[in-house]
Amino acid sequence: MNFDLKTIKDFPKIIAETKGLKGMNVTIPYKEEVIPFLNKLSKNAKKIGAVNTITISKKKKLKGYNTDFYGFKKALKPLLTPSHKKALILGTGGASKGIAFAFQKLKIEYDFVSRNPTEFQFSYDELTPEIFAEYQIVVNTTPLGTHPKIEEAPPIDYALFTKDHIAFDLVYNPEETTFLRKAKEHSAKTKNGYEMLIFQAEKAWSIWNG
């Protein structure tokens, strides 16, 4: 079932009124906002600060997990070579936190790029050719380019991509986003978020079913 919330405030009502609900996945934009409504977090979800999987006990106790980082890590791994040492994460929402945690696990350095950066993040304007050349992996964690607004893409200079780059987009509808198409035009390896979606879903299924 799909619960399309206009606001996160509707969340408790769904839990109270849906009989037999054992678990759910959480999508953008509620991966951080849902946390105050949960009774408990897994160790990884606590470290990450974002939840995309929830279990609901018979006593209606809610526990949050993050399976995004697992799905991303498993989808990215086949593309990696020893030359992939640093990553740029485009976006700073809930999805970006799972990606950052996966890079920690993979021992790959990363930095965030934001429209409203803190002093520890890049703005899109700061991505000079010199800075871009330092990073071999670029991940789009923003919803830019998602159907129906498929012409949208993060505002970076796509001519800076090379055959040594990986461009990974968490978006999987459309199959090839503008971000991926433009990166591919400059010979980057590309991958969309479909495999990540499958892997995180399999992990969520195993959590729900013990």
Side-chain angles (χ1 to χ4, degrees), residues 75-145:
L76 179 70
K77 249 182 161 177
L79 303 179
L80 294 175
T81 70
S83 67
H84 295 116
K85 292 183 165 67
K86 289 179 84 175
L88 283 175
I89 301 172
L90 310 182
T92 52
S96 73
K97 293 186 167 182
I99 303 311
F101 190 70
F103 282 132
Q104 285 174 34
K105 294 282 188 192
L106 291 164
K107 296 187 167 43
I108 290 171
E109 282 183 56
Y110 61 88
D111 281 294
F112 290 101
V113 185
S114 175
R115 285 175 306 179
N116 305 297
T118 67
E119 59 181 308
F120 305 110
Q121 298 165 349
F122 288 116
S123 70
Y124 284 95
D125 296 337
E126 288 176 297
L127 296 182
T128 61
E130 293 74 28
I131 287 173
F132 200 90
E134 283 181 41
Y135 297 85
Q136 304 81 32
I137 307 166
V138 185
V139 184
N140 177 33
T141 73
T142 77
L144 290 170

Side-chain angles (χ1 to χ4, degrees), residues 144-153 173-174 176-179 181:
L144 290 170
T146 311
H147 184 81
K149 296 180 180 177
I150 59 170
E151 72 294 337
E152 292 183 349
N173 181 20
E176 185 174 71
T177 58
T178 301
F179 168 77
R181 178 176 55 77

